[in-house]
Amino acid sequence: MADGYVCAINRGRDGYQVPLALHEAGLLACFVTDYYAPDGPPEWLPTALRRRRTPGLPATVTRNAPLSFVLQSAAQSLRLPMGRIFPVTDRLLAARAARVARRVNAHLYCYAPHLPDERSIAQGTRRVIFEYHPTPALSLDVLDADHARFPQTRWSYQLERAALSRSRRNDAWKRADAVVCASAMTRRSLEHDGCPPDRITVIPYGTAPSSLPAIVPRGGRAEFLFVGQGIQRKGLHHLIEAWQASGLADARLTLVCYSIDPGIQEMITDPSIRLLGRQDRAGLDRLYAQADVFVMPSLVEGFGLVYLEALAQGCHIIGTENTGLPDLALPGEAATLVRAGDLTALATALTTARDAALAGHLDRAAIHAAAAKWQWCDFRRAIAEHARAALTG
């Protein structure tokens, strides 16, 4: 069998960094996805589809799964619940990957939902999976316990629970020779399910090189920022509760949520909390440049790329240990970790960060330098090294 992989990923998850890593290392036999834009995409192609590519990964090494793409596009147009569509399109993508792997006589490197079933995999095929979310069982335990404390999260809790329940049989690790994930939180969920620890490797994500943006005047107050879905899993209800209980003077909290749980939105009573909808890239960059502190106290997070995005903008981070933050080994000047669900600790962290910001003790240049230690090129190098080692077992 050839010393290469067929890599299968739906959409542009993680910016195609995994297949790009394999291609750069000469380990990619073919990349299978729902849709990948052609080299030099034509102007008539919709912008969203023209963006389905990344520099360095040519279309000539990719194969599309047309039926998977059409079903997803139709479901989105009809506003159907994608949680019911993805299991179907994932199976179609996995079947396509299995056929290609047999044809080119290659091994498999798949994001977990896209690993083909046992019957379609050729004998002797090595299987590596990337698990990008914590597995459902541990996630459900965490969300169930939190919802008992905060019933106002009912809307997003029920959506999350339904999605996790549909994927509860996520056992791709049982059919894999090696498992990669981006955080110790995801590793913990895999071990919770019974995955042998020696099968799992944690490789944290990275960020693109960037320069420190110009500082935006803050008008004598500390600026805090949250960017993400306004749902239970992101801990937004914890943030609102802790913020309003703290009575933070000379501080403002901006929430950027393209959707928000109605029950969580009703919790907002303090005028120092500003709720915004979806922002374009320029608008989001302005908010990062204005913010002193980025805070997202997630209950369950496979990693949280937004943390690295905020760090690269020089924002101090407040997050929980149930994310990828602990894996970055950041200095105290760059990040504050609190226990997920601990509102007292979160309130203390908010107050301490407010005081540091007003006193001018948050060093944006040092925070930006801490983020610069985690680059996508380092992530890709680690992925390639692991993938090469996995070929020999």
Side-chain angles (χ1 to χ4, degrees):
M1 182 169 285
D3 287 339
Y5 292 96
V6 166
C7 181
I9 299 176
N10 191 44
R11 300 191 169 187
R13 181 168 289 279
D14 300 337
Y16 303 109
Q17 292 294 311
V18 170
L20 178 58
L22 299 176
H23 179 64
E24 288 174 339
L27 294 171
L28 183 67
C30 184
F31 172 44
V32 175
T33 187
D34 63 318
Y35 179 81
Y36 193 80
D39 298 330
E43 288 298 322
W44 55 261
L45 196 65
T47 301
L49 295 184
R50 285 205 303 271
R51 291 175 178 165
R52 293 279 198 97
R53 59 176 296 101
T54 192
L57 184 64
T60 52
V61 299
T62 69
R63 296 291 182 275
N64 292 334
L67 185 54
S68 178
F69 171 71
V70 168
L71 285 177
Q72 290 179 72
S73 300
Q76 283 184 310
S77 297
L78 296 172
R79 299 182 182 276
L80 299 178
M82 297 304 293
R84 298 184 181 278
I85 302 300
F86 284 136
V88 177
T89 57
D90 286 346
R91 287 194 295 272
L92 291 170
L93 188 60
R96 174 75 161 152
R99 291 194 298 271
V100 173
R102 282 181 171 274
R103 187 165 67 247
V104 301
N105 196 32
H107 303 279
L108 287 164
Y109 197 123
C110 306
Y111 274 37
H114 314 131
L115 182 66
D117 62 62
E118 194 69 37
R119 293 167 297 177
S120 61
I121 299 176
Q123 188 173 6
T125 301
R126 302 291 294 175
R127 307 125 190 221
V128 181
I129 64 168
F130 192 99
E131 189 66 73
Y132 54 90
H133 281 321
T135 56
L138 181 58
S139 299
L140 282 169
D141 289 347
V142 172
L143 296 179
D144 287 348
D146 181 75
H147 181 252
R149 293 174 60 202
F150 297 94
Q152 58 265 56
T153 63
R154 181 172 177 267
W155 181 80
S156 57
Y157 165 73
Q158 289 186 336
L159 287 178
E160 195 81 32
R161 199 175 208 293
L164 289 169
S165 297
R166 281 193 293 271
S167 59
R168 195 169 191 127
R169 294 181 181 178
N170 179 7
D171 60 353
W173 61 266
K174 293 181 179 179
R175 295 175 281 125
D177 298 295
V179 181
V180 180
C181 56
S183 70
M185 176 62 190
T186 304
R187 178 187 189 116
R188 195 157 75 241
S189 74
L190 286 159
E191 293 177 356
H192 179 272
D193 285 3
C195 184
D198 60 359
R199 197 179 300 178
I200 309 169
T201 299
V202 176
I203 303 177
Y205 287 133
T207 185
S210 65
S211 57
L212 182 65
I215 297 175
V216 173
R218 291 163 176 72
R221 69 183 166 201
E223 292 283 355
F224 290 72
L225 178 66
F226 169 98
V227 178
Q229 297 180 71
I231 58 175
Q232 178 204 18
R233 183 170 60 82
K234 299 292 184 180
L236 180 56
H237 54 305
H238 295 168
L239 174 56
I240 294 169
E241 186 94 352
W243 180 275
Q244 295 182 158
S246 300
L248 295 173
D250 300 321
R252 178 172 65 173
L253 171 62
T254 298
L255 310 177
V256 178
C257 309
Y258 67 82
S259 66
I260 187 169
D261 184 321
I264 294 177
Q265 184 171 354
E266 289 176 3
M267 294 175 64
I268 303 173
T269 59
D270 194 315
S272 66
I273 299 178
R274 174 176 62 159
L275 177 61
L276 303 179
R278 187 189 294 273
Q279 303 291 300
D280 60 21
R281 184 69 256 176
L284 198 54
D285 286 344
R286 282 193 298 272
L287 290 170
Y288 277 126
Q290 185 181 40
D292 298 290
V293 181
F294 178 87
V295 53
M296 188 173 76
S298 294
L299 282 161
V300 179
E301 199 75 60
F303 182 81
L305 276 168
V306 69
Y307 293 126
L308 274 174
E309 185 175 82
L311 283 166
Q313 298 273 354
C315 300
H316 182 86
I317 305 296
I318 298 176
T320 74
E321 81 282 13
N322 285 6
T323 69
L325 274 178
D327 302 281
L328 299 179
L330 295 165
E333 64 188 352
T336 301
L337 282 173
V338 298
R339 188 165 62 91
D342 188 336
L343 270 63
T344 301
L346 179 56
T348 299
L350 292 169
T351 301
T352 301
R354 186 276 312 268
D355 293 345
L358 292 177
H361 293 162
L362 297 181
D363 188 339
R364 297 181 74 87
I367 295 170
H368 176 267
K373 295 178 181 177
W374 298 93
Q375 299 289 313
W376 276 126
C377 59
D378 300 313
F379 171 80
R380 295 197 302 271
R381 188 179 303 113
I383 287 288
E385 290 173 359
H386 177 271
R388 187 174 287 108
L391 288 174
T392 63

